[in-house]
Amino acid sequence: MAAAFQTKKYEKFLHIIRSLVPLFSIFMLQSYLLSIDSYAQWLTECNLQVLLWFYFLLMLNERGQVYILILVATIFFIDFNFNSGHHDITSLNLVIALIGLLVVAGSAYVIQKFSKVIIENKILFVIAMVVFAAAWGLLILPSQELDLLFFIALICKLIVYMTCIHMVNSVGRIQYEALIERINTDFLTQLSSRTAFEKSFDQSFKAAQNKTIQLAFIILDIDNFKLVNDTYGHLIGDAVLKEVAHAISENITHYKGAELFRIGGEEFGIILANTDYNEAQKMSLNILNAVNKLSVNTEKGTFGVTISIGVAEWLDKDKTKEIFYNRAESYLYFAKNNGKNAVTVDGVIVNR
C-alpha cells in the first residue's frame, strides 16, 4: 500500500507535462503557419490553434493549461497592440482586445472547471466553443484590421471543426468510461477496486486535514484465508470472498458516506466520512457478527469464516495519508496477533 502511495509524489510533475502538451502542439503548428505566405490563409489556419487548446482544456482537464493559456494570451495581447511593427492601434481597438483577453481567461477557467458537464451537453458545448473562439478573435483581430464577415466566417469554420471532433470523441468517450468503470470495479466481488480506493482515500484524507469532514477508516482481513485456499481450493476461496463482501455491504448500507473497497487479496477497506470512533466501532462489530454467521458448505465439509478488523479515526498527528493508513493497519495486525476474530479500536480489542 505504501508503495502505491509513493507514486503520488510524481503527480505534480505529470500534471505539468500534461499542461504543457497544448503549448508544444501550438508551437509545432506555429512553425507551419509561419511558412504560409497568404495572410488570409494564415488567419484561417489559426483556427487550428484555437481548436487545439479548446480540445485540450476539455479532454486533459488540467488547471495548469489555464495558467499557460492566459500567459500566452497576454503575450499575444501585448505583442499585437504595443509592438511598434504593427498597425496603429486606436483606443477602441485596445479596449476590444482587452475585453478579448479577459474573456479568454474567464472562458478557459470555466471550460476546464466544468469540462465534464460541457462535454455531455451539446448546447453548452457549442456555447463554450463560440465564446472561446470569439474571445480569441476579439483579442487578436482588432489589431489586424480584419473584415467582420471574414471574422464570422472563421468562427463558423471553427464550429464545423469542433462539431466533427465532438462527434468522433463521443464514441471514444463511451468506450473510455466503460474502461474506467472496469478499472474502478473489482471483477470478483464487484466492489470498488484498489485503484478507486487510492483516489477516494487521498481525497478523504485531504478533506479531513482541511477539517471539512470527520474521517474514520476500517480495514478488514479474512482470517486464515491461505489455509482456505490450500484446503478447499481457490474456487471456494473466491466464494468466501464474495460472501464476506456481501456481508460487509449489507451492514454498511445505513451509514451515509461509507465507501467499501477490496484493497487486497482478502483485505477490505471502508472509508467513513463524518463518522467518529463510536459509530465506526458499532459498524465493525456488526460486520464481525455478520461474518461469524456465515457457513460455507463444500465436499470436504462445512466451515465458518472469521475476520480481523482495525479501526482508526483521523487525528492531527496523522500528517500524511500513509501514517493514517499504517496506523489502522497496525490495529488490524494487533487483532491478528491476539487471537483473530477481533475488532481493534485505537489499539484496544473491543469485542472481548
Side-chain angles (χ1 to χ4, degrees):
M1 184 67 194
F5 280 138
Q6 290 298 318
T7 60
K8 298 292 183 180
K9 295 191 302 182
Y10 304 103
E11 278 194 353
K12 289 185 178 179
F13 174 74
L14 294 177
H15 286 321
I16 293 174
I17 296 299
R18 283 161 59 92
S19 299
L20 289 173
V21 166
L23 189 62
F24 176 76
S25 303
I26 295 299
F27 284 154
M28 292 295 290
L29 181 60
Q30 192 68 43
S31 64
Y32 159 70
L33 296 176
L34 291 175
S35 66
I36 297 177
D37 295 329
S38 170
Y39 177 66
Q41 187 181 357
W42 179 85
L43 283 172
T44 302
E45 297 308 322
C46 277
N47 271 290
L48 294 174
Q49 296 190 76
V50 179
L51 181 152
L52 274 175
W53 221 310
F54 179 77
Y55 181 80
F56 281 123
L57 279 171
L58 285 173
M59 296 302 112
L60 295 185
N61 191 23
E62 292 289 346
R63 180 61 57 84
Q65 292 174 30
V66 177
Y67 303 139
I68 295 173
L69 185 148
I70 294 174
L71 175 62
V72 172
T74 303
I75 293 173
F76 282 176
F77 172 78
I78 295 172
D79 179 60
F80 279 103
N81 293 286
F82 298 101
N83 191 319
S84 59
H86 290 292
H87 301 288
D88 293 333
I89 304 299
T90 66
S91 298
L92 178 60
N93 284 346
L94 188 60
V95 170
I96 293 174
L98 180 58
I99 292 173
L101 176 60
L102 295 176
V103 178
V104 164
S107 61
Y109 173 79
V110 171
I111 289 168
Q112 185 274 327
K113 184 175 179 61
F114 301 101
S115 59
K116 291 183 179 179
V117 177
I118 292 172
I119 290 173
E120 293 174 357
N121 189 303
K122 293 181 180 178
I123 295 177
L124 290 179
F125 182 85
V126 172
I127 292 174
M129 179 170 53
V130 172
V131 171
F132 188 66
W136 278 98
L138 292 175
L139 169 63
I140 297 174
L141 300 181
S143 63
Q144 305 302 312
E145 299 179 354
L146 186 67
D147 181 80
L148 178 60
L149 292 178
F150 192 27
F151 170 62
I152 295 175
L154 293 179
I155 300 300
C156 291
K157 185 177 180 180
L158 177 67
I159 293 175
V160 173
Y161 281 159
M162 284 307 302
T163 300
C164 294
I165 289 179
H166 187 53
M167 291 174 63
V168 173
N169 179 70
S170 296
V171 177
R173 184 166 58 86
I174 293 173
Q175 296 175 338
Y176 172 77
E177 289 175 350
L179 175 62
I180 293 299
E181 180 67 22
R182 288 198 295 271
I183 291 174
N184 288 331
T185 303
D186 176 60
F187 75 98
L188 180 63
T189 62
Q190 296 302 301
L191 301 179
S192 296
S193 68
R194 169 71 168 272
T195 302
F197 168 75
E198 290 176 6
K199 181 178 180 181
S200 183
F201 192 79
D202 180 66
Q203 293 173 342
S204 299
F205 180 82
K206 290 178 181 177
Q209 282 188 314
N210 295 330
K211 309 297 183 181
T212 57
I213 65 170
Q214 185 177 14
L215 178 64
F217 175 53
I218 300 174
I219 185 168
L220 314 90
D221 189 89
I222 301 175
D223 295 329
N224 305 312
F225 187 71
K226 184 178 184 302
L227 182 61
V228 171
N229 280 329
D230 292 344
T231 304
Y232 301 100
H234 288 281
L235 290 179
I236 297 299
D238 289 347
V240 170
L241 286 170
K242 292 178 182 179
E243 288 295 324
V244 170
H246 180 72
I248 298 172
S249 298
E250 288 290 303
N251 283 274
I252 69 171
T253 54
H254 302 300
Y255 290 85
K256 186 177 180 180
E259 297 180 90
L260 173 60
F261 307 84
R262 183 186 177 192
I263 56 178
E266 64 271 25
E267 197 170 74
F268 301 86
I270 304 173
I271 297 174
L272 295 165
N274 296 317
T275 303
D276 59 15
Y277 265 137
N278 292 330
E279 283 298 305
Q281 176 178 320
K282 180 180 177 181
M283 176 190 288
S284 298
L285 291 172
N286 288 339
I287 292 171
L288 187 77
N289 292 330
V291 172
N292 282 339
K293 294 177 182 179
L294 295 178
S295 180
V296 183
N297 298 315
T298 73
E299 294 179 353
K300 296 182 180 180
T302 302
F303 66 92
V305 183
T306 65
I307 57 175
S308 296
I309 303 175
V311 182
E313 182 180 21
W314 181 83
L315 303 173
D316 287 332
K317 67 180 181 180
D318 298 316
K319 300 301 182 183
T320 67
K321 55 182 175 288
E322 292 90 347
I323 292 175
F324 179 46
Y325 180 90
N326 290 337
R327 187 160 62 83
E329 193 173 47
S330 70
Y331 300 157
L332 169 65
Y333 291 146
F334 185 84
K336 287 279 190 183
N337 295 329
N338 287 272
K340 303 178 181 178
N341 194 28
V343 176
T344 302
V345 179
D346 200 16
V348 178
I349 294 178
V350 297
N351 62 310
R352 295 173 187 166

